[in-house]
Amino acid sequence: MRLTLFGYVLRTYVRFALGILGGLVLVFVVVDFVDRAKTYTGPGWVTDAAKLYGYKALMAVQQLGPAALLLAAGTTVSALRKQGEVTAIRALTFGPSALYVPVLAFGLLACSGLVVFDEVVATHAGRRVDEITTQRFNRWGDWRFYYTPKQWFRRGDRIFFLRAGSAQEGFQDVSIFTLSREFELRSRLDAARMEWLDGNRWRLTGVVERTFSGEQDTAVKSLESAEYELGIAASAFRIRPGRPEQMRVRELREQIVARREVGLATKQFELALHNRFAYPLAALPAALLGVGLALRNSRKGHLTAAIVEGLLVAVGMWGLMMVCRTLVLTERLSPPVAAWTPPVILVLVAAALWLRREGFLHVPRRWLAVR
């Protein structure tokens, strides 16, 4: 009997989850297309727009998956309650675990799937969306911010200005500034080309070396070619352009290390790394919260109430994530704390509902009275 009940609740939850996810993705695609339809012009725009929204739909699955699991949990319990099946479950002496356990089981599987989906599919889909939007429909947005090659790097007391080239092929038109502890310019190297030799050693050609020992005391030396120990390896300059959310875990970790070595900001990359796991996993406590809300004794309404409650929770968590992201970018909050705060809050609220329902957490009515 218990196994049959588990399968029945599980099937109901899966149907609601897939249906709600499909509906959310469809609404997102339609609204986005209507909002941007004027920008899609030119020969073959229909085919290109279809590809674009195919990739956007894949991104939407990852973005809206947690919300779908939350809404599905509430609507599943509400549908069973509306048909009197929750009362029948209680009459058979089954407790709330008969509803929580199937949601928990599928939630674990779905959350793990969302993590893998984000890593394998959504990251690639995001890059393709940017490529099609910029190259085919000439809509740049903040593309330049993420894809313009980085030219300024800092390592210790040296600042590197690498105007062209790469670590693998060599850099052209290079300037290297050496600063004192008081942030005063001590020397400047200008070179037509900079090539990596081994370790921290580099060969510079077409060199003009300037040394500053006072406000007007400058020594200038020109060299056809020279080798320098610059205190930095070629791997530190392998900064990959692109949005952090579109990089896989291994790439994010590499970029965090490389950017930290040359003095570039890493907060956004650290946040993206933690969110790769925190955001999908937030769906699990969110789904359990949906079950708890739907099982309240004072609950009025059924499916409509479940949807409204789920949307309010989703909007609240989304707002909290945006606030945490802003605090990270302004360096007022660490990325791990920002990424994991929303899931932790969902866990605490879901646990409080469970404990209160089981009688472990009693809130006196006088505490809830309006004073």
Side-chain angles (χ1 to χ4, degrees):
M1 175 69 73
R2 185 177 294 275
L3 187 60
T4 301
L5 179 59
F6 174 87
Y8 176 71
V9 176
L10 179 63
R11 289 192 299 272
T12 305
Y13 180 51
V14 171
R15 286 199 301 269
F16 272 112
L18 294 178
I20 291 174
L21 179 59
L24 291 175
V25 172
L26 180 61
V27 170
F28 167 80
V29 169
V30 171
V31 171
D32 190 84
F33 176 77
V34 171
D35 183 54
R36 307 173 189 269
K38 293 182 180 180
T39 63
Y40 303 135
T41 58
W45 72 268
V46 175
T47 301
D48 294 329
K51 292 180 181 178
L52 174 64
Y53 278 94
Y55 288 117
K56 282 194 174 187
L58 293 176
M59 292 178 61
V61 169
Q62 185 272 333
Q63 295 168 355
L64 299 174
L69 292 174
L70 165 62
L71 293 170
T75 52
T76 296
V77 176
S78 296
L80 296 176
R81 193 170 185 175
K82 184 177 182 179
Q83 297 169 6
E85 292 173 307
V86 171
T87 303
I89 291 173
R90 290 171 178 169
L92 294 172
T93 69
F94 291 111
S97 60
L99 300 172
Y100 276 101
V101 172
V103 171
L104 177 63
F106 182 72
L108 285 171
L109 180 63
C111 291
S112 302
L114 284 174
V115 173
V116 176
F117 185 86
D118 191 8
E119 180 75 4
V120 177
V121 179
T123 51
H124 172 71
R127 289 193 292 269
R128 291 293 295 137
V129 167
D130 279 347
E131 291 171 2
I132 295 173
T133 303
T134 56
Q135 297 174 11
R136 175 60 183 83
F137 297 112
N138 199 33
R139 296 183 67 253
W140 297 90
D142 56 0
W143 187 90
R144 292 183 179 89
F145 177 79
Y146 291 103
Y147 290 92
T148 300
K150 304 298 180 183
Q151 296 179 318
W152 290 92
F153 304 87
R154 181 173 182 177
R155 181 65 175 268
D157 60 352
R158 289 190 176 93
I159 296 177
F160 298 81
F161 184 23
L162 311 176
R163 297 176 179 84
S166 64
Q168 295 80 9
E169 300 174 357
F171 296 100
Q172 294 83 39
D173 196 7
V174 174
S175 295
I176 304 172
F177 306 90
T178 304
L179 306 176
S180 67
R181 291 184 177 180
E182 293 74 25
F183 212 70
E184 296 177 348
L185 185 61
R186 291 166 46 194
S187 66
R188 171 174 176 168
L189 284 174
D190 292 287
R193 183 172 178 80
M194 184 173 82
E195 296 174 305
W196 179 67
L197 297 176
D198 58 68
N200 296 331
R201 295 173 59 249
W202 296 78
R203 177 185 291 112
L204 276 63
T205 57
V207 181
V208 177
E209 183 176 347
R210 297 178 176 87
T211 305
F212 306 92
S213 56
E215 293 184 359
Q216 297 180 347
D217 189 5
T218 304
V220 181
K221 182 169 57 176
S222 298
L223 301 171
E224 184 175 337
S225 178
E227 295 182 7
Y228 291 87
E229 175 74 26
L230 297 178
I232 190 168
S235 59
F237 294 119
R238 292 170 184 168
I239 304 300
R240 175 182 167 179
R243 301 177 190 272
E245 295 78 12
Q246 297 171 2
M247 297 181 184
R248 295 185 176 180
V249 170
R250 178 181 57 82
E251 296 167 334
L252 282 169
R253 287 175 175 165
E254 291 175 352
Q255 289 300 302
I256 290 171
V257 173
R259 288 169 181 267
R260 189 175 291 149
E261 288 183 354
V262 294
L264 294 177
T266 62
K267 296 290 187 182
Q268 197 168 355
F269 290 81
E270 295 176 48
L271 181 62
L273 177 60
H274 285 279
N275 273 334
R276 183 60 48 83
F277 304 96
Y279 181 71
L281 292 176
L284 183 58
L288 298 179
L289 176 59
V291 175
L293 291 173
L295 284 175
R296 286 176 302 155
N297 292 329
S298 60
R299 175 69 173 272
K300 295 181 180 180
H302 296 289
L303 295 179
T304 302
I307 293 174
V308 171
E309 289 173 348
L311 288 176
L312 289 175
V313 173
V315 170
M317 288 299 102
W318 180 83
L320 179 59
M321 286 188 291
M322 292 301 101
V323 170
C324 290
R325 176 184 174 84
T326 301
L327 293 175
V328 169
L329 297 181
T330 55
E331 299 186 352
R332 290 180 172 86
L333 192 66
S334 67
V337 173
W340 292 100
T341 292
V344 168
I345 290 177
L346 287 171
V347 168
L348 294 176
V349 176
L353 279 177
W354 169 270
L355 293 174
R356 186 181 180 189
R357 181 171 184 80
E358 294 298 312
F360 295 108
L361 182 65
H362 176 64
V363 180
R365 292 182 179 272
R366 56 188 175 85
W367 290 11
L368 304 177
V370 178
R371 297 182 182 274

